[in-house]
Amino acid sequence: MRMMSLLTLCMTSMATAGANDVPWPEHPRPDFQRPTWVNLNGPWAFRFDPDDVGVEQEWFTPGKRTFDREIIVPFGWESRLSGINDTEYRGVAWYAREITIPDSDEWRGKEPWLVIGAADFETTVWVDGQEAIEHVGGYIPFAVNLAGFAKPGEKVSIIIRVKDTTDEHQPVGKQHGWYTRTSGIWQTVYLEPRGETHIGSIKFHPDIKKGTVRCGVRLDKRTAGGVMKVSSPDGAFDPVEWTWGEDVDVVIEDIEIKQPRLWSPDDPHLYNVRFELTADGQSIDRVDSYFGLREISVGKPAADAVNLIRLNGKPIYLRGALHQSFHPAGVYQYPDDATMRSDYELCKKLGLNFLRIHIKTPIPRELYWADKLGVLIMQDMPNYWKHSEQATIWWQETMEASIARDSNHPSIFSWCLFNETWGIGDGGYSTERQEWVRRMFQLAKQLDPTRLLADTSQGTRDHFVTEVKPC
């Protein structure tokens, strides 16, 4: 195995980068995409730390430790595509890479943010030897502001420590006892410029009866104030503007669609939308996104009939499959975008209109293809296997973050909190645990009242609070 020092990133514009330059060159979040960004996938310096001595020996200090292997991000170290292909190791591993902050008009006057799509399970990031962030959780992106470490044109050393034991208290789903585990960085890592005040999140609430969509935009690190402009690149609605100030963290506006076209599996129409934040007449942040006009409900066609799932007010017959969402070469990650897309194209060819993604929070681009091709999704939350206070804390954090990240996808029609009673039934599905599940059901419904919600799937007929009964 050849020895490696920190790898130096060759800055390549994603407008010209091809599929052969880096794995997964596509932007990982078509639902939340800034126009300027740099993909950091590809080879990183790597080292296992089986005795967990790296922190004590200060491996986070540039030059302190030689990283003797190379790993291909964004694939977990168990996968063949990572180049490591070690399915037995559990514990701590380290990543290292040197990057250059771009020096161009799109980056000057902005703050460079390092975004990690997902790293399983406990992650610490050091920048130039200084600890920048700690994150716990294996499915959701987190970000580091690099503005305090380097200016445009300067280099920074990024060193990342990830610990994953696939503990039974972690929300791991079928990584435990079923399929190959995924450890370490397993989703796209990238760099993007944001204004000091920038768009933190966007929420769409469509109203199919009125032909409108309510946009809620949360701003991070608010400064003096400015203008938010929402526009349609396709001319589907007239531009809308509103002002924001230091005392405003969420701005909300209703947008009227000129010729409303509802989203469905037969017509998965998406509306592109652009959000641009300006201050003193200068653009300080921009995010491109999309939404679908659709409504999910449950209702009876007659007083003596059973409840039926309705899409846009009409009953829909669901023809679907249980989607394990594992891949032989990439494990939790697909080999590439084309392979991911082909799974959803196959669903359409088979006449399926629905998938239940099984106890795994999916990759955002997987939901993008479900949105674009018209496949309804019941989205599970990954389960833990041993019930404890720590397990419930980690599970709740994952649930809240999953709903926050994915609630704009029109393909998702339902959340399923638990697969049967896996984990919550460890030692018996007691009344106390049922009450905790009830509280989590109520919390999830509060976080997203627009979708149907299941407490558990019906493996052992243990529903006690649910809107749908998956099996």
Side-chain angles (χ1 to χ4, degrees):
M1 190 68 65
R2 65 189 181 90
M3 301 297 288
M4 292 185 59
S5 59
L6 293 181
L7 298 173
T8 302
L9 170 67
C10 176
M11 305 305 296
T12 305
S13 167
M14 291 314 300
T16 59
N20 293 327
D21 297 314
V22 293
W24 279 97
E26 302 85 1
H27 195 283
R29 293 284 307 274
D31 63 313
F32 196 89
Q33 178 173 346
R34 290 181 167 88
T36 301
W37 67 293
V38 175
N39 194 313
L40 300 180
N41 290 343
W44 285 61
F46 182 78
R47 188 182 186 98
F48 283 133
D49 184 8
D51 298 320
D52 195 9
V53 297
V55 173
E56 181 181 352
Q57 296 180 4
E58 299 182 352
W59 292 10
F60 50 81
T61 301
K64 192 79 172 183
R65 164 62 65 175
T66 299
F67 287 62
D68 59 351
R69 305 181 74 175
E70 177 181 284
I71 191 169
I72 303 301
V73 170
F75 302 105
W77 66 64
E78 292 87 352
S79 71
R80 297 199 301 270
L81 293 174
S82 72
I84 302 297
N85 194 23
D86 190 329
T87 60
E88 299 299 323
Y89 180 77
R90 302 190 191 198
V92 177
W94 293 72
Y95 297 71
R97 188 164 181 170
E98 191 175 76
I99 66 174
T100 301
I101 307 300
D103 187 8
S104 63
D105 291 341
E106 294 85 0
W107 294 80
R108 296 188 194 111
K110 303 285 183 66
E111 297 179 337
W113 284 76
L114 174 72
V115 184
I116 299 173
D120 200 347
F121 179 68
E122 300 175 49
T123 306
T124 307
V125 180
W126 286 268
V127 182
D128 287 340
Q130 300 180 53
E131 184 175 323
I133 193 173
E134 290 184 345
H135 179 266
V136 177
Y139 300 93
I140 301 301
F142 55 99
V144 178
N145 187 349
L146 301 180
F149 299 96
K151 299 177 182 178
E154 296 180 343
K155 294 180 179 180
V156 290
S157 167
I158 305 297
I159 297 181
I160 300 173
R161 174 187 182 270
V162 184
K163 178 181 179 180
D164 186 23
T165 60
T166 317
D167 187 276
E168 292 177 308
H169 303 269
Q170 296 172 209
V172 295
K174 284 194 169 180
Q175 291 187 66
H176 177 77
W178 286 79
Y179 305 133
T180 304
R181 300 185 304 275
T182 287
S183 300
I185 298 171
W186 67 278
Q187 290 188 35
T188 292
V189 180
Y190 59 103
L191 203 63
E192 66 178 11
R194 306 177 187 177
E196 182 180 6
T197 297
H198 57 268
I199 298 168
S201 63
I202 299 167
K203 294 298 178 189
F204 296 111
H205 299 280
D207 187 324
I208 65 171
K209 297 180 181 63
K210 295 180 180 179
T212 61
V213 61
R214 173 162 290 184
C215 299
V217 183
R218 180 178 58 80
L219 303 179
D220 283 354
K221 201 174 181 180
R222 301 171 305 284
T223 51
V227 175
M228 169 70 75
K229 181 179 180 180
V230 184
S231 61
S232 167
D234 309 313
F237 56 84
D238 293 329
V240 176
E241 293 185 359
W242 64 84
T243 59
W244 55 271
E246 288 184 273
D247 59 341
V248 176
D249 57 355
V250 177
V251 288
I252 298 175
E253 188 73 21
D254 288 332
I255 294 173
E256 185 174 348
I257 310 301
K258 293 179 180 178
Q259 296 178 317
R261 183 173 163 186
L262 302 185
W263 185 96
S264 72
D266 295 329
D267 184 18
H269 182 72
L270 299 174
Y271 287 93
N272 295 315
V273 58
R274 176 166 297 163
F275 296 82
E276 188 164 18
L277 203 59
T278 62
D280 298 325
Q282 300 294 315
S283 177
I284 60 174
D285 198 22
R286 176 184 138 189
V287 171
D288 293 332
S289 186
Y290 65 85
F291 62 87
L293 283 176
R294 68 102 182 90
E295 179 184 80
I296 298 295
S297 60
V298 173
K300 294 182 178 181
D304 58 348
V306 297
N307 275 324
L308 299 176
I309 294 175
R310 295 172 178 265
L311 174 64
N312 300 327
K314 299 178 181 179
I316 182 170
Y317 185 84
L318 296 176
R319 302 179 301 276
L322 190 64
H323 184 21
Q324 302 298 335
S325 201
F326 280 76
H327 193 278
V331 193
Y332 252 25
Q333 175 66 282
Y334 278 81
D336 52 52
D337 194 55
T339 304
M340 176 184 286
R341 176 176 181 167
S342 70
D343 271 4
Y344 286 80
E345 289 174 332
L346 179 60
C347 285
K348 302 295 287 188
K349 290 177 183 178
L350 293 173
L352 304 181
N353 62 5
F354 148 66
L355 289 175
R356 177 182 163 205
I357 298 181
H358 201 215
I359 46 181
K360 173 197 173 188
T361 300
I363 302 161
R365 285 195 69 89
E366 188 169 354
L367 296 172
Y368 164 72
W369 286 119
D371 295 338
K372 193 169 181 62
L373 297 176
V375 179
L376 286 162
I377 298 294
M378 170 174 275
Q379 178 54 54
D380 285 13
M381 299 299 166
N383 68 288
Y384 55 80
W385 289 90
K386 200 163 203 51
H387 189 80
S388 67
E389 183 179 1
Q390 181 63 77
T392 62
I393 291 171
W394 281 339
W395 183 92
Q396 182 177 338
E397 289 173 347
T398 299
M399 180 270 287
E400 292 180 1
S402 298
I403 291 177
R405 190 195 71 178
D406 295 335
S407 61
N408 285 331
H409 291 282
S411 57
I412 298 179
F413 76 95
S414 175
W415 307 105
C416 182
L417 301 185
F418 293 95
N419 181 64
E420 303 173 23
T421 54
W422 290 9
I424 55 176
D426 168 50
Y429 193 28
S430 64
T431 301
E432 179 184 359
R433 293 185 194 178
Q434 290 177 345
E435 286 305 311
W436 176 73
V437 170
R438 184 191 300 275
R439 292 197 302 274
M440 293 302 99
F441 182 96
Q442 293 168 342
L443 174 58
K445 197 64 181 176
Q446 178 183 346
L447 294 171
D448 185 4
T450 68
R451 288 180 173 85
L452 304 180
L453 192 60
D455 57 347
T456 68
S457 62
Q458 202 177 358
T460 52
R461 300 186 182 277
D462 42 39
H463 290 297
F464 69 95
V465 51
T466 193
E467 294 175 307
V468 288
K469 295 184 177 181
C471 58

